[in-house]
Amino acid sequence: MTGTSVKLALGLLAAFAVRAAGQNAPADSATTLPLSTSFSYSGVLQRNAEGGSRRGTAFGGAATMQLSLPLGRLAPWSGQLFLFALDTHGGMPSDLVGALQPVSAIEAPPGLRLEELWLQQNLLRNRLSLLIGRYDINTEFYRLQSTALFVNSSFGIGPEFAQSGVGGPSTFPFTAVGARADFKPSPNVVWRAAILNGSPVDRPDGGVRLFARG
């Protein structure tokens, strides 16, 4: 395929903090962390100028909202609640190309859905972290920071993993529920493991099923 691609991104980050009542809170406590929210919008305009299935132009967009809430502000517990909602809309440029993977990293069926909703608890002075809930495995596994510079979805997660399971692994745009643990034996080393349901909560056929067979 030869073509043109234009990516537009607009991000707004708003964060506010409530001053902790005690200045000497233990390191495991999340009460010193701020409550934060963020909103962003990304759009990709792509044109298949030659080859592929057919010529054409498609625009796809994704609006996101994130909320991070230290539960120590609401209850006597130092955990953290994280929520990530996503709305995808527009065309599907991969239909013009006929590719195995989407040609855009934000290409997904249109709709508003909950991508992540999890609880996290840090222990042992933040050396041990436990997480449970709806979780995108690509946020911490199979992730290269430099891939954010590129549009093609293969830079985010390889096809040998992305095409597995029912609707792929627990990653954009269909995530599943599970648990993750990581441990830092030293400042520069992290051991991390996760176990997740093999089928996403939001199914590609439009249904919503939790802990159900594919």
Side-chain angles (χ1 to χ4, degrees):
M1 180 192 77
T2 60
T4 58
S5 174
V6 179
K7 183 175 182 179
L8 304 174
L10 174 63
L12 172 64
L13 174 64
F16 59 93
V18 180
R19 187 173 181 178
Q23 297 297 322
N24 298 319
D28 290 339
S29 174
T31 57
T32 57
L33 298 176
L35 167 65
S36 65
T37 59
S38 66
F39 307 87
S40 68
Y41 183 84
S42 297
V44 178
L45 177 65
Q46 293 177 306
R47 175 174 175 77
N48 183 27
E50 184 178 352
S53 299
R54 65 182 188 277
R55 296 182 181 182
T57 303
F59 175 83
T64 69
M65 188 276 288
Q66 295 185 21
L67 170 67
S68 178
L69 174 64
L71 296 181
R73 302 191 182 283
L74 303 177
W77 185 49
S78 60
Q80 178 187 9
L81 173 69
F82 178 80
L83 181 148
F84 177 38
L86 171 71
D87 177 76
T88 52
H89 51 273
M92 304 285 282
S94 293
D95 293 343
L96 305 175
V97 180
L100 178 64
Q101 280 193 287
V103 296
S104 168
I106 63 171
E107 181 178 337
L112 175 65
R113 53 190 165 271
L114 184 65
E115 280 290 290
E116 292 192 273
L117 178 62
W118 45 256
L119 293 170
Q120 179 175 262
Q121 176 69 58
N122 292 343
L123 303 166
L124 304 178
R125 301 187 65 85
N126 295 324
R127 295 177 61 195
L128 175 64
S129 174
L130 304 175
L131 179 151
I132 186 170
R134 191 167 181 177
Y135 166 68
D136 184 346
I137 196 171
N138 198 208
T139 59
E140 295 183 308
F141 295 84
Y142 209 139
R143 179 177 175 85
L144 298 175
Q145 297 296 333
S146 59
T147 60
L149 301 172
F150 301 97
V151 174
N152 189 284
S153 62
S154 288
F155 288 109
I157 187 170
E160 79 287 349
F161 192 35
Q163 300 297 321
S164 64
V166 178
S170 180
T171 186
F172 172 87
F174 300 114
T175 53
V177 294
R180 184 272 291 151
D182 68 35
F183 177 69
K184 296 180 179 179
S186 67
N188 298 319
V189 176
V190 178
W191 297 339
R192 180 175 292 139
I195 181 170
L196 296 109
N197 188 11
S199 299
V201 176
D202 296 303
R203 303 303 171 91
D205 61 6
V208 178
R209 297 189 293 276
L210 186 66
F211 293 122
R213 293 184 179 273

